[in-house]
Amino acid sequence: MTSAIRRAICEQLPQLKNIYHALEVPSKLPQNAATRPMLQWILPADVAQQEHDLLESVKSQQFDATYIEQVRVVPRNGRNAAKVEFGIRPDAFTAQLLQAKQNPSMEPALREEHVVVEYSSPNIAKPFHVGHLRSTIIGNVLANLHQHLGYRTTRLNYLGDWGTQFGLLALGVQLSNVHDAQMRAAPIETLYNAYVTANKAAAADPQLAQQARELFSALEAGKDTTMSKQWEQYRQYTIEELTGVYERLGVHFDSYEWESQYSQRDIVDVLTQLRTAGLLQREEDGREIVVVDQRRVPVIKSDGSTLYLARDIAALLERQQRLRFSRMLYVVDNGQADHFKALFQTVSALDDRFNDKLQHVKFGRIHGMSTRQGNAIFLRDVLNEARDVMREKRSISTTTKVNNTLDDDHVCDILGVSAVLVNVLKQRRQRDYEFSWQQALQVNGDTGIKLQYTHCRLHNLLDNFKHIELAEVKPSWQHLTEEPADALALLYELARFEQCIWQAKEQLEACVVVNYLFGLCNATSRALKRLPVKQEKCPEKQRQRLLLFRAAKRTLQQGMQLLGLKPLNQM
Ligand code: ARG
């Protein structure tokens, strides 16, 4: 962690908005890397005019000499941007990176900002499809990144449990004579089956289709209290089942919210607001249409029931009231881009304070993520598949030996989930891509298995030398830089951690963290090879190497946890 050093610089330069902003460890090792570590501040092109003043003011600053030894201003030259290089005291640098206690430094300014991330948001009684999986995994990482950096974060799951199709579900439950025990045991599957049954029946019989619409109208009007109670019960069961799956994925939420919270009778006020603002038009057949940006989007059906957009408008206004967020991220697939455009334009027309606060974090499709038996409908099946494939692979593998002292099922599950998570997260989110078990499970490729494997190696090494007391050892730049360049490379890699977290947050791209971790693993493997601990005769060198590997393990662990992985010590 270079936070203390960063802070020392930021305190003198208000232009740097916070300690993570714009300060970076160069991505290529500079030539004199071994002599003096440095952080650089590359001036963005748009400050070119004030550049001169800025650079002059930098020269006149006094930086904290505990950390900063030298400041060099490099003016713009041809295509190269102007930059400021902060030479760090080598021992302060090593101490910051390798010392035992590291508090992730929270920026007080960031804490003022409340970021709400809405993700996962499946529909009850419908399959939790791969799009929901991608939302779940990406959303969780985005929330983790914000939280890690010190933002106030709230994680929302906005479940679909409303709309005409739920009339079909209600009908299906009646038709298939579902028992409560069945519902309790496997709610998602049972509800899904009921829905499929009703869908088929209604397609063949218009009367049943009509009945389904009426059921939903009744439900929406809140007339039928038994049915409403039952609905609540289904929701409860569904949450219980989902929580189990989320737990396997390392995902959690601060709150589960439902589309049905924004039903007809709950959004009368919202409709009035929209009408007063001239945003709502009534059609002859009774439908209500929102007109934004020359597009006409229905929000209320002719029978008075609400549509998806109406509920989202109401939910957003209510969330702003309740949560007073400074930013709201909706992690939802590309397919809903138009919907979110309409949503954001509508609420911004109501209240311009929404401008710039809302963002649809879009992502593309994943093809081919299915079980070997065919299409996976339920997320649980995909995860079980991952675990089983992993188990088979382990039983024939030579690199990973089966260790009988471990709960094998548990380890296979964690490995399988790691493979899936990392495979999803390593892609830029807008990309459509093809999922392959083959690729996802390789130990040597860029996979979740590689991250776990490297973590295990580091754990193992540190465990073998736990008799060596490190508490009093002072990290020494000199000892480490005497080593082959691999020590230096790893040290710089560690120093890059925070800027990667910041970049990932800025771009809302988990792949920045994933790629960083692959780089860290590669640097670690090289260092493990070139800097042996056991064969090393000099005890001081041994200790310094252990400090380095301990820091590598800690950073890898932290990065993995940000991705939702559970780092293993043995596999
Ligand atoms: N339940 C929706 C679906 O599965 C996704 C909800 C996205 N969030 C929102 N606020 N509309 O398609």
Side-chain angles (χ1 to χ4, degrees), residues 223-264:
K223 283 187 205 129
D224 189 331
T225 49
T226 343
M227 204 155 118
S228 303
K229 280 229 182 74
Q230 203 180 30
W231 209 245
E232 219 174 286
Q233 192 80 79
Y234 295 167
R235 283 201 288 264
Q236 197 46 45
Y237 295 157
T238 304
I239 290 196
E240 281 161 22
E241 181 171 346
L242 279 174
T243 319
V245 182
Y246 288 141
E247 154 62 24
R248 282 170 83 177
L249 289 170
V251 168
H252 72 274
F253 295 93
D254 296 309
S255 113
Y256 285 84
E257 297 176 4
W258 304 89
E259 283 190 37
S260 58
Q261 283 167 247
Y262 308 98
S263 74
Q264 205 176 9

Side-chain angles (χ1 to χ4, degrees), residues 118 121-123 132 158 160 259 308 312 330 332 336 339-340:
E118 189 215 275
S121 307
N123 304 317
H132 294 127
Y158 179 64
E259 283 190 37
Y308 189 45
D312 252 327
Y330 289 92
V332 186
Q336 300 202 23
H339 169 76
F340 284 103

Side-chain angles (χ1 to χ4, degrees), residues 306-467:
T306 55
L307 286 166
Y308 189 45
L309 180 60
R311 296 189 288 273
D312 252 327
I313 296 172
L316 184 46
L317 296 174
E318 187 270 334
R319 286 176 193 175
Q320 174 58 16
Q321 285 276 322
R322 173 167 46 106
L323 303 169
R324 309 246 166 239
F325 56 79
S326 26
R327 220 163 161 218
M328 164 81 93
L329 307 178
Y330 289 92
V331 188
V332 186
D333 66 272
N334 279 332
Q336 300 202 23
D338 283 344
H339 169 76
F340 284 103
K341 236 190 237 156
L343 172 63
F344 297 170
Q345 283 175 352
T346 312
V347 295
S348 299
L350 277 182
D351 183 344
D352 56 16
R353 278 176 307 173
F354 278 112
N355 287 344
D356 307 327
K357 287 189 179 166
L358 308 172
Q359 185 164 356
H360 175 198
V361 183
K362 306 175 198 145
F363 55 83
R365 284 169 180 271
I366 308 177
H367 302 287
M369 190 186 279
S370 60
T371 63
R372 287 164 296 181
Q373 277 76 43
N375 277 333
I377 305 184
F378 301 104
L379 177 59
R380 201 188 43 207
D381 298 335
V382 175
L383 298 186
N384 290 348
E385 178 85 359
R387 184 190 57 207
D388 297 345
V389 174
M390 200 58 225
R391 191 185 292 117
E392 283 166 33
K393 245 184 105 92
R394 264 155 62 89
S395 64
I396 51 173
S397 150
T398 48
T399 26
T400 53
K401 58 174 187 294
V402 179
N403 185 327
N404 292 328
T405 60
L406 295 174
D407 175 350
D408 214 40
D409 235 27
H410 183 63
V411 172
C412 287
D413 192 39
I414 291 183
L415 288 174
V417 166
S418 305
V420 171
L421 289 191
V422 169
N423 198 271
V424 170
L425 291 171
K426 76 177 194 179
Q427 323 288 339
R428 290 200 90 76
R429 65 185 150 78
Q430 295 269 38
R431 231 184 110 212
D432 293 345
Y433 79 100
E434 193 73 37
F435 180 86
S436 127
W437 286 115
Q438 226 288 26
Q439 259 176 25
L441 294 171
Q442 284 163 1
V443 179
N444 296 320
D446 284 344
T447 64
I449 308 299
K450 178 197 214 154
L451 302 186
Q452 291 287 11
Y453 179 67
T454 311
H455 188 266
C456 289
R457 282 181 75 190
L458 287 168
H459 175 85
N460 220 348
L461 173 75
L462 294 163
D463 198 50
N464 285 341
F465 291 94
K466 60 173 183 259
H467 54 277

Side-chain angles (χ1 to χ4, degrees), residues 145-146 149 151 327 500-508:
L145 291 173
H146 281 91
L149 287 163
Y151 290 92
R327 220 163 161 218
C500 285
I501 304 296
W502 182 258
Q503 279 162 16
K505 191 279 300 182
E506 289 281 281
Q507 301 171 23
L508 302 172

